């Protein structure tokens, strides 16, 4: 057997491939390749993180060193590095609790625990038992300097089709969006004014029934309503001078195009445009509109509408089974771009043509579904939103060859982007599923104790509102919301008024707020990359104070306070996968969590008088109880299966539980003494594990998941995204 020599250290910025476990990183191509999972394109910052860690495999690389080397001379929040590590873990399929690639050393830095070495041309894309985890043969290393160039060429050739139809990643940090609208219902079809100062959009109202056109300043709060018709007014488009807005009106008698002054006034009808129309843009010379319509039984296709006389002329001729939509003029007016859907491939294509539809070129988007596009001022690029595997990403596409670059925005549900002329302002529809809090009155009425159930939406907005909990006296609520951009903890009075954000954790996920019995503190949990922690927020007349009381690398689930407010209960799951419940004394920094007897416990609740501990387990359905002073456990209600995400709580002699059944959720009230129960409410499947009851007001708070709501977000200073 030939003698093996140590692998030379990997130098940051080198051009040669690096083997990291079963993956091969080629820095020059920004490609990470796996023999089974295929190739993944990385943004440059992720490549640099891996290069730095690979220099000293197995050793700690401090966070400060990584920040300085990857973001030299810049003031960068540490969350940028945390997010980069999280993205890499997702790609590797790594588990922070049992890392095989990147190990977090809490408060200090990271180390690469996967085996690292050089990659020969033959090894790229295939696992080599002779080199994985051991040294590369001395002869192989001496050849690697010359072989590296060959490998890069071979990879570029073999992955060329993927890079043309796939997406490279632009070398920028993710842009931070901010909310523009957060009304109940759905705001859609955003259109940024030419100067970027205003955004026109369509909104269907809180009940999503009557769409009209609205305008909102990018940096202000006043919303101007421009239309009030019973028809469906959608797809606003700005005139080149920013003084008027065109829109489509779809009604019972067909579709038509209209124009209204951007400051308000009576809309003027331009002309009829068929049975139904969608997508609209105003030509740069101000003389025509372009739209997609259905007329005379033909499929959806493009047409030009003259504003002067309402004349309509066909532009595109899609093939059998194809549909053309989402048209936009180029800034010069010489070309158009649109999306063609369907046909034999059943895949979306981005099409670029002359203004009259001639000289058509198609670019196959592979498995991506395009949800809107717009031109960049240089006319060499388009920006587009595309959905793939349930997420909506933003891309820049070169109109010369269809090459895609992903533009990183810290948002995963981007649709229908609109760009200002100077590319400094981007608005888009954030169409993520929403979570909504409901308030359910359950007061008993009449001599027979019949239930008068009353259900209504609570904390009305279409931003995510979830995990709402009453204080013990029922006077206040704590809840989780992303109305400020990130999921944070908020408090309000019992009617949902005087909402106030009380945390600012940024990228961390905040969950499970629980009021202390005295109402002066709120416990909650935070989850970041690789760890979970428990915090206590103290409310004072002069403000709030927060303190971390516990941190764990495993999964945590905060259950609530002990009845006296001196301790917290929480569930934890570690290496064996089993949940166990612990009790932690609060206020004593030296205290360690104490295991609550009973394997498989996941959720516990003390009775208000401190006499009983109610709990559910992963081992069997039902809610059980046992005396806190010690004694035998007894089943109190069998019809709760906590293993499948059902939620429950006990108040006095009543148990409330929510059962997820198929596409619905049923909220039930059970009487523990009589053994009877009744359905209080039936709605969509519950999403967040929250159920709260106020004995004072006889009301429940619960969270449901709703599809179809959407808000508008804005990203600014986009020229950075187009720099190469």
């Amino acid at each position: 057997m030939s003698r093996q020599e140590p692998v030379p250290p990997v130098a940051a910025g080198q051009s040669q491939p690096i083997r990291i476990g079963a993956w091969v990183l080629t820095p020059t191509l920004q490609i990470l390749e796996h023999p089974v999972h295929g190739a993944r394109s990385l943004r440059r910052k992720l490549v640099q993180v891996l290069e730095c860690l690979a220099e000293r495999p197995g050793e700690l690389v401090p966070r400060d060193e990584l920040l300085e080397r990857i973001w030299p001379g810049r003031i960068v929040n540490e969350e940028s590095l945390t997010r980069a590590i999280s993205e890499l873990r997702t790609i590797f399929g790594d588990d922070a609790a049992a890392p095989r690639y990147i190990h977090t050393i809490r408060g200090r830095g990271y180390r690469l625990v996967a085996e690292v070495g050089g990659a020969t041309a033959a090894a790229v894309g295939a696992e080599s038992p002779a080199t994985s985890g051991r040294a590369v043969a001395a002869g192989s290393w001496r050849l690697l300097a010359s072989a590296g160039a060959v490998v890069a060429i071979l990879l570029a050739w073999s992955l060329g089709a993927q890079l043309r139809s796939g997406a490279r990643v632009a070398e920028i940090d993710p842009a931070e969006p901010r909310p523009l609208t957060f009304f109940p219902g759905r705001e859609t079809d955003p259109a940024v004014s030419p100067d970027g100062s205003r955004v026109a959009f369509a909104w269907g109202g809180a009940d999503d029934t009557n769409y009209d056109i609205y305008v909102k300043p990018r940096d202000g709060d006043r919303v101007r309503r421009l239309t009030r018709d019973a028809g469906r007014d959608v797809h606003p488009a700005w005139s080149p001078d920013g003084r008027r807005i065109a829109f489509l009106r779809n009604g019972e008698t067909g579709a038509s195009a209209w124009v209204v002054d951007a400051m308000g006034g009576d809309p003027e009808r331009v002309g009829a445009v068929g049975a139904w129309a969608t997508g609209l843009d105003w030509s740069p010379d101000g003389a025509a509109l372009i739209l997609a319509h259905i007329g005379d039984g033909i499929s959806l296709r493009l047409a030009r509408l003259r504003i002067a006389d309402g004349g309509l002329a066909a532009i595109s001729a899609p093939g059998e089974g194809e549909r053309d939509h989402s048209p936009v003029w180029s800034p010069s007016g010489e070309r158009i771009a649109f999306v063609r859907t369907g046909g034999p491939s059943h895949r979306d294509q981005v099409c670029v043509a002359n203004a009259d539809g001639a000289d058509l070129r198609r670019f196959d988007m592979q498995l991506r579904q395009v949800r809107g596009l717009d031109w960049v001022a240089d006319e060499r690029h388009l920006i587009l939103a595309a959905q793939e595997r349930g997420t909506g990403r933003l891309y820049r596409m070169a109109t010369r060859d269809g090459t895609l670059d992903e533009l990183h925005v810290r948002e995963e549900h981007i649709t229908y982007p609109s760009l200002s002329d100077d590319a400094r302002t981007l608005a888009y529809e954030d169409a993520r599923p929403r979570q909504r809090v409901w308030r359910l009155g359950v007061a008993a009425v009449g001599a027979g104790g019949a239930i008068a159930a009353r259900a209504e939406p609570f904390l009305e907005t279409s931003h995510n509102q979830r995990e709402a909990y009453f204080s013990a006296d029922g006077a206040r609520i704590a809840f989780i919301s992303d109305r400020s951009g990130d999921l944070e903890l908020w408090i309000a009075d019992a009617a949902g008024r005087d909402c106030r954000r009380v945390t600012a954790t940024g990228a961390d996920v905040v969950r499970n707020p629980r009021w202390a019995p005295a109402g002066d503190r709120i416990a909650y949990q935070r989850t970041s990359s690789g760890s979970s922690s428990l915090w206590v927020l103290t409310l004072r007349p002069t403000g709030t104070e927060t303190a971390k009381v516990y941190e764990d690398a495993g999964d945590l689930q905060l259950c609530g306070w002990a009845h006296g407010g001196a301790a917290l209960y929480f569930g934890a799951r570690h290496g064996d996968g089993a949940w166990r419940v612990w009790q932690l004394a609060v206020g004593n920094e030296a205290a360690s969590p104490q295991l609550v007897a009973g394997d498989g416990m996941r959720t516990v609740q003390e009775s208000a008088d401190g006499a009983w501990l109610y709990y559910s387990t992963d081992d069997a359905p039902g809610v059980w109880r046992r005396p806190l002073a010690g004694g035998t456990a007894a089943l109190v209600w069998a019809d709760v299966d906590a293993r499948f995400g059902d939620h429950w709580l006990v108040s006095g002699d009543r148990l409330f539980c929510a059962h997820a059944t198929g596409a619905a959720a049923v909220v039930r009230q059970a009487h523990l003494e009589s053994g009877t129960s009744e359905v209080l409410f039936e709605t969509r499947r519950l999403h967040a594990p929250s159920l709260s009851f106020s004995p004072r007001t006889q009301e429940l708070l619960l969270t449901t998941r709703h599809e179809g709501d959407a808000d508008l977000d804005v990203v600014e200073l986009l020229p950075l995204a187009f720099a190469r």
Side-chain angles (χ1 to χ4, degrees):
M1 180 178 294
S2 62
R3 182 172 62 90
Q4 303 291 310
E5 296 180 358
V7 177
V10 177
Q14 70 156 31
S15 61
Q16 296 138 341
I18 308 167
R19 179 176 291 283
I20 303 173
W23 296 79
V24 171
L25 172 68
T26 305
T28 53
L29 296 178
Q30 297 178 213
I31 292 292
L32 191 62
E33 189 180 16
H34 190 278
V36 175
H37 304 303
R40 297 290 299 273
S41 57
L42 304 182
R43 59 188 175 94
R44 183 60 191 159
K45 296 302 182 187
L46 298 188
V47 173
Q48 291 175 314
V49 170
L50 284 178
E51 287 183 296
C52 289
L53 295 176
E55 286 182 22
R56 309 201 298 268
E59 298 181 18
L60 168 68
V61 181
R63 293 180 65 92
D64 290 345
E65 179 181 334
L66 288 168
L67 289 167
E68 177 58 32
R69 293 182 61 181
I70 298 168
W71 290 274
R74 294 176 53 188
I75 300 175
V76 177
N77 192 306
E78 289 193 6
E79 291 173 1
S80 297
L81 178 58
T82 301
R83 292 189 183 101
I85 295 294
S86 179
E87 287 183 55
L88 289 171
R89 280 204 177 103
T90 299
I91 293 170
F92 285 133
D94 205 10
D95 183 357
R100 296 176 297 112
Y101 284 87
I102 300 175
H103 175 216
T104 300
I105 300 177
R106 200 75 56 217
R108 298 177 62 193
Y110 305 93
R111 66 188 186 101
L112 195 60
V113 295
E115 295 159 333
V116 176
T120 63
V124 173
E127 184 72 33
S128 172
T131 60
S132 176
R134 295 193 295 273
V136 177
S140 296
W141 182 259
R142 285 191 294 271
L143 290 173
L144 191 57
S146 60
V150 177
V151 171
I153 294 172
L154 289 174
L155 275 175
W157 176 81
S158 64
L159 297 174
Q162 294 183 49
L163 290 176
R164 286 190 294 272
S165 60
R168 300 193 305 255
V169 182
E171 298 179 14
I172 57 168
D173 293 329
E176 294 288 354
R178 63 178 176 85
L180 178 75
T181 66
F182 40 89
F183 309 145
R186 180 178 183 181
E187 302 96 80
T188 187
D189 305 335
V192 179
S193 63
D195 64 0
S197 66
R198 294 166 291 171
V199 179
F201 59 95
W203 179 39
D207 55 2
D208 201 43
T209 58
N210 182 28
Y211 278 82
D212 285 302
I213 304 300
Y214 298 79
V215 173
K216 185 179 186 295
R218 180 193 61 191
D219 299 318
D221 295 325
R222 181 180 179 183
V223 178
R224 187 185 302 275
R225 184 175 184 175
L226 299 182
T227 68
R228 297 178 179 273
D229 190 80
R232 185 182 178 91
D233 294 348
V234 290
H235 295 290
W238 290 87
S239 63
D241 60 8
R243 298 174 61 183
R244 295 183 294 168
I245 295 173
F247 62 93
L248 295 174
R249 177 169 290 168
N250 288 296
E252 296 181 358
T253 59
S256 53
W258 296 70
V259 172
V260 64
D261 190 289
M263 299 303 293
D266 294 330
E268 298 179 3
R269 189 174 185 270
V270 178
V273 292
W276 185 78
T278 182
L280 188 69
D281 198 22
W282 203 315
S283 66
D285 63 8
L289 302 172
I290 188 173
L291 54 95
H293 74 132
I294 295 176
D296 300 326
I298 61 175
S299 62
L300 190 65
R301 60 190 60 198
L302 306 186
R304 181 191 297 109
L305 179 69
R306 290 192 302 272
I307 293 178
D309 58 10
L312 193 66
I315 294 180
S316 72
E320 183 176 355
E322 294 179 331
R323 304 179 305 280
D324 293 347
H325 56 92
S326 305
V328 285
W329 297 94
S330 68
S332 68
E334 296 177 355
R335 293 191 291 172
I336 59 172
F338 60 94
V339 181
R340 178 162 287 175
T341 299
S345 67
H346 299 285
R347 299 197 298 209
D348 281 2
Q349 298 173 329
V350 172
C351 300
V352 178
N354 292 343
D356 59 2
D359 192 22
L360 177 67
R361 288 182 295 150
R362 308 183 186 188
F363 302 103
D364 195 335
M365 294 293 105
Q366 299 297 319
L367 300 179
R368 298 180 183 88
Q369 296 178 314
V370 180
R371 293 293 180 265
L373 69 169
D374 204 351
W375 284 88
V376 181
D378 63 7
E379 295 206 15
R380 294 183 294 131
H381 297 94
L382 294 164
I383 62 165
L384 59 91
Q387 291 182 332
E388 184 178 13
R389 298 187 181 95
T391 62
R393 306 289 190 180
L394 188 69
Y395 299 89
R396 178 184 61 183
M397 191 195 88
T399 56
R400 175 175 54 84
D401 58 7
T403 299
L404 291 179
D405 292 307
E406 183 177 346
L407 302 178
H408 276 266
V409 176
R410 210 176 306 283
E411 172 57 67
E412 296 186 347
H413 301 274
I414 297 175
T415 56
Y416 305 111
S418 176
L419 190 65
S420 63
D421 287 352
D422 61 4
R424 295 178 63 86
T425 302
L426 174 84
Y428 62 86
E429 181 181 324
D430 174 7
R432 72 178 67 192
R434 300 295 179 188
Q435 296 156 350
R436 175 178 295 176
V437 175
W438 287 79
R439 179 166 53 188
L440 181 65
V442 293
V445 297
I451 299 297
R454 167 184 51 81
E456 60 186 13
F458 190 48
L459 301 168
E460 272 288 78
T461 171
S462 62
H463 261 252
N464 283 306
Q465 318 276 18
R466 67 188 195 191
E467 299 174 68
Y469 289 88
F470 282 112
S471 58
D473 61 3
R476 290 178 293 176
I477 60 169
F479 63 99
I480 306 299
S481 174
D482 64 357
R483 60 175 68 191
S484 62
D486 295 309
L487 283 169
E488 300 288 359
L489 176 61
W490 292 66
I491 60 175
D493 65 20
R497 300 182 299 254
D498 300 326
C499 295
R500 178 162 61 99
R501 179 167 60 90
V502 292
T503 64
T505 62
D508 287 5
V509 177
V510 180
R511 294 188 53 208
N512 292 340
R514 297 291 195 277
W515 289 91
D520 60 339
R521 292 170 295 165
I522 303 173
Y524 61 96
Q525 70 183 70
R526 287 172 56 174
T527 302
S528 59
S529 177
S531 70
S532 297
S533 52
L534 303 180
W535 295 69
V536 172
L537 180 143
T538 303
L539 302 171
R540 303 188 186 281
T542 57
T544 61
E545 295 178 5
T546 57
K548 181 164 61 176
V549 296
Y550 183 69
E551 185 170 15
D552 198 303
D555 294 331
L556 295 182
Q557 179 172 305
L558 179 62
C559 300
W561 293 82
H563 80 285
L568 289 171
Y569 287 104
F570 66 91
R573 180 171 59 181
H574 296 97
D576 62 0
W579 283 94
R580 296 176 178 85
V581 170
W582 303 74
Q583 187 182 77
L584 176 69
V586 176
N588 181 0
E589 295 183 359
S592 298
Q594 302 299 309
L595 182 65
V596 177
D599 283 351
M601 276 190 185
R602 181 167 182 171
T603 302
V604 302
Q605 177 195 334
E606 275 196 22
S607 61
D609 58 7
W612 298 94
L613 184 70
Y614 292 87
Y615 64 91
S616 59
T617 77
D618 273 349
D619 300 329
V623 173
W624 303 69
R625 77 172 184 179
R626 71 178 190 210
L628 271 173
T632 304
L635 180 68
V636 296
W637 195 261
D639 194 19
V640 173
D641 198 339
R643 297 174 298 175
F644 299 103
D646 292 35
H647 318 301
W648 61 271
L649 65 87
V650 174
S651 179
D653 64 349
R654 287 186 289 177
L655 179 145
F656 300 96
C657 58
H659 297 263
T661 57
V666 175
V667 180
R668 182 177 292 274
Q669 174 180 258
H671 304 275
L672 300 181
E673 292 186 2
S674 66
T676 60
S677 68
E678 55 268 331
V679 172
L680 301 176
F681 185 52
E682 185 169 352
T683 182
R684 298 183 184 183
R685 181 184 296 274
L686 287 180
H687 179 77
S690 62
L691 199 62
S692 178
F693 180 68
S694 168
R696 182 175 72 88
T697 61
Q698 296 292 297
E699 290 179 320
L700 278 169
L701 296 178
L702 65 150
T703 306
T704 59
R705 181 184 177 93
H706 290 257
E707 307 289 348
D709 287 352
D711 293 324
L712 305 182
D713 290 349
V714 167
V715 176
E716 296 172 271
L717 297 178
L718 271 181
L720 294 174
F722 300 120
R724 294 294 290 173

